[in-house]
Amino acid sequence: MSPDFTLAANEASEHRPLIISLFAVFVLATLVITVWAGRQTKDAADFYAGGRQFTGFQNGLAVSGDYMSAASFLGIAGAIALFGYDGFLYSIGFLVAWLVALLLVAEPLRNSGRYTMGDVLAYRMRQRPVRTAAGTSTIVVSIFYLLAQMAGAGVLVSLLLGITSDAGKIAIVALVGVLMIVYVTIGGMKGTTWVQMVKAVLLIAGALLITFLVLLKFDFNLSDLLGSAADNSGKGSAFLEPGLKYGVDSTTKLDFISLGIALVLGTAGLPHILIRFYTVPTAKAARKSVNWAIGIIGAFYLMTIALGFGAAALIDPGEITTSNKAGNTAAPLLALHLGGVDSTWGAILLASISAVAFATILAVVAGLTLASSSSFAHDIYANVIKKGQATDREEVRAARWATVLIGIVSIGLGALARDLNVAGLVALAFAVAASANLPTILYSLFWKRFTTQGALWSIYGGLVTAVGLVLFSPVVSGKESSMFPDVDFHWFPLENPGLISIPVGFVLGWLGTILSKEEPDAAKYAELEVRSLTGTGAH
């Protein structure tokens, strides 16, 4: 362990009461918000869509809060700190992805459905099979994304509280799971949305503060910052050029293309992002909320330049990797160094940024749980099991029980995944969303001939291909950084399946439709087209 890191750990230890107090204040504040919002949740529209009462700006702030996850704040800062230019490409990919969401999905989706992705598919297809498929895909994507967030919470809190035992780490994962169940069961979409807004403000404020302090350290000279980062990284000018991580050989180059495709296309198929568009009263507000989100998220990803390169310039690379192999603790360690490793100000900064990171995890976890429980209750329970006969009250009750069940499953899997490679889980979530959800949404909205069989082939085919390829990739086995480094059963060379699984999802949707004997309902499609483009008749 490096001397600097030992010092950082000691400093965190000395100021542990402060760190715990900041965590407790945030958790208590968000619980108060959740209980307040829960008292206003009266029916299914309130629980699923917050009563469609949020303005474009409020929803844009909440979307930002939902989107800027632990992977964005902790992961990107770490990737830039360790890989320079190649790490910053994550920021670009996440931001560009919003253009796809804005141009192709946000407004038509808001106009076409009520609460879930399944609503859009079921509008002109056979309800039970497509709702089952949509619900299954939503739950799979959400659970893998949940595992990534919970594993991130385990890494962060274990570092700060000095917890090294397995029982302690499992307790942290369980705590996050219990909080997430409380947020969603009590607050529904209203509570979750307000928590997302608070978290977005905190995250932007924290990132702004760190960015200002980093630039102040280098007299607001970006060139000096980048130069110092390159020198301190030990990699020289290569640190500021493409290829440090993804240009090693032809496989890594293909991997980068695969990752880029998954990031850019996956966002428009992420369930917890899609349901956000239902919380606004009009299509215009949906469009405005995405515009706000692009501005807020764009500003944040620009600040990751200071977060990542600042960490590279001011912290020894060995200290970052000693703390966490993937670099996930680079941002909190940067805060500590900026304030002074042996000072109270450093401990306050460390505690504040860590509390913001923990807030980030809690908020995203709540959004993911709401998306999966809503899909189960609305698509599978109300429309498949109950065949559309469930009352609003029964549906909301089913959603709350689904939240508890998904929470328990996530706690169990999160406990098992506490020491695993988080990046693989995030990549899987994006790849599945882009492979299974996006093709069916686009075909359903824009292809007149699209049939139920096409939708089922696309969802299940994309789902199985993406999950299957990741299971047999280096993410799971065969490398030191794999989930199971001691065994090797991988045969797929890429770490992200997007290059294969996304085209498979689109092709199977087309093939299933071409080979289907079902005659599409032209009148229903015409009605959907008018509704998706104009908002006429939208709920």
Side-chain angles (χ1 to χ4, degrees):
M1 187 175 287
S2 72
D4 282 344
F5 178 66
T6 308
L7 197 58
N10 291 340
E11 189 62 26
S13 176
E14 287 172 23
H15 293 87
R16 220 151 259 158
L18 171 68
I19 293 167
I20 294 170
S21 299
L22 274 168
F23 273 29
V25 165
F26 174 77
V27 171
L28 196 62
T30 52
L31 283 173
V32 168
I33 292 168
T34 302
V35 171
W36 165 76
R39 287 179 177 168
Q40 301 179 52
T41 300
K42 296 179 178 64
D43 56 21
D46 283 339
F47 187 86
Y48 291 136
R52 307 191 202 283
Q53 294 168 354
F54 292 101
T55 65
F57 172 68
Q58 287 175 325
N59 193 49
L61 205 55
V63 168
S64 307
D66 230 346
Y67 192 64
M68 295 184 296
S69 68
S72 295
F73 185 47
L74 302 175
I76 292 176
I80 295 173
L82 297 180
F83 300 107
Y85 182 93
D86 277 15
F88 182 58
L89 291 171
Y90 280 89
S91 293
I92 298 168
F94 281 128
L95 181 56
V96 169
W98 268 106
L99 296 177
V100 179
L102 173 64
L103 295 173
L104 296 178
V105 173
E107 192 178 341
L109 199 75
R110 160 64 188 78
N111 293 342
S112 308
R114 290 183 68 200
Y115 305 131
T116 66
M117 180 183 82
D119 286 338
V120 180
L121 303 182
Y123 190 77
R124 63 189 188 99
M125 295 172 195
R126 295 201 306 279
Q127 285 235 4
R128 296 181 75 186
V130 293
R131 283 192 184 277
T132 304
T136 303
S137 177
T138 295
I139 291 167
V140 170
V141 174
S142 297
I143 283 180
F144 275 101
Y145 217 117
L146 274 171
L147 295 189
Q149 303 304 316
M150 291 178 128
V155 167
L156 184 72
V157 182
S158 299
L159 168 78
L160 290 164
L161 303 187
I163 294 170
T164 53
S165 68
D166 284 345
K169 290 176 181 176
I170 291 169
I172 292 166
V173 171
L175 171 67
V176 175
V178 170
L179 283 171
M180 128 190 133
I181 291 168
V182 170
Y183 285 162
V184 177
T185 51
I186 295 176
M189 179 58 92
K190 279 188 177 177
T192 302
T193 301
W194 280 106
V195 169
Q196 300 285 19
M197 285 192 271
V198 169
K199 169 254 167 149
V201 171
L202 284 174
L203 184 58
I204 289 293
L208 263 173
L209 176 62
I210 297 297
T211 299
F212 175 77
L213 292 174
V214 167
L215 292 175
L216 186 66
K217 198 99 174 169
F218 292 92
D219 297 323
F220 295 90
N221 189 322
L222 198 58
S223 180
D224 282 355
L225 167 62
L226 297 176
S228 296
D231 294 340
N232 197 51
S233 70
K235 299 182 177 84
S237 61
F239 191 72
L240 303 178
E241 296 169 2
L244 204 57
K245 183 177 182 182
Y246 292 112
V248 181
D249 52 38
S250 56
T251 302
T252 57
K253 288 175 183 175
L254 281 174
D255 226 341
F256 172 64
I257 295 169
S258 193
L259 176 69
I261 292 170
L263 292 180
V264 170
L265 297 180
T267 298
L270 289 175
H272 66 297
I273 299 297
L274 296 179
I275 64 168
R276 284 254 150 251
F277 299 131
Y278 296 126
T279 64
V280 289
T282 63
K284 185 179 179 183
R287 196 161 58 245
K288 190 179 287 186
S289 66
V290 181
N291 287 334
W292 272 111
I294 287 174
I296 296 165
I297 292 167
F300 172 77
Y301 285 130
L302 275 177
M303 287 188 279
T304 59
I305 297 174
L307 293 173
F309 286 109
L314 299 172
I315 310 171
D316 182 77
E319 181 183 343
I320 297 172
T321 50
T322 302
S323 168
N324 180 265
K325 283 182 184 176
N328 289 330
T329 50
L333 287 174
L334 174 62
L336 181 67
H337 278 261
L338 285 168
V341 174
D342 55 352
S343 70
T344 305
W345 173 231
I348 291 170
L349 261 184
L350 170 68
S352 303
I353 294 303
S354 301
V356 167
F358 192 66
T360 296
I361 290 165
L362 285 178
V364 173
V365 155
L368 286 161
T369 311
L370 185 66
S372 46
S373 62
S374 298
S375 190
F376 172 81
H378 184 63
D379 291 325
I380 296 174
Y381 173 78
N383 287 290
V384 175
I385 297 172
K386 286 286 190 177
K387 300 179 183 176
Q389 301 303 308
T391 64
D392 273 9
R393 193 172 177 178
E394 287 174 333
E395 210 173 304
V396 171
R397 189 168 66 238
R400 287 184 165 135
W401 279 112
T403 299
V404 174
L405 188 61
I406 288 162
I408 292 168
V409 169
S410 298
I411 289 169
L413 292 174
L416 292 172
R418 66 189 182 278
D419 296 321
L420 300 186
N421 186 314
V422 178
L425 299 172
V426 174
L428 179 56
F430 269 85
V432 173
S435 307
N437 295 349
L438 186 63
T440 46
I441 291 170
L442 294 182
Y443 280 148
S444 189
L445 288 172
F446 302 113
W447 189 19
K448 189 176 183 177
R449 198 179 160 187
F450 195 46
T451 63
T452 303
Q453 181 173 294
L456 298 180
W457 282 30
S458 184
I459 290 176
Y460 288 127
L463 193 67
V464 170
T465 306
V467 174
L469 290 178
V470 168
L471 285 176
F472 294 103
S473 76
V475 166
V476 174
S477 71
K479 284 174 72 176
E480 202 176 311
S481 58
S482 300
M483 292 181 180
F484 304 106
D486 300 327
V487 293
D488 186 0
F489 49 83
H490 92 279
W491 51 262
F492 184 65
L494 306 182
E495 292 190 8
N496 193 287
L499 195 62
I500 307 297
S501 61
I502 296 170
V504 164
F506 277 99
V507 168
L508 285 177
W510 170 81
L511 192 63
T513 298
I514 295 299
L515 298 178
S516 172
K517 292 176 183 176
E518 178 186 348
E519 200 61 46
D521 189 331
K524 274 279 186 188
Y525 175 74
E527 195 177 322
L528 178 68
E529 190 175 34
V530 170
R531 175 183 286 192
S532 70
L533 294 174
T534 66
T536 305
H539 296 282

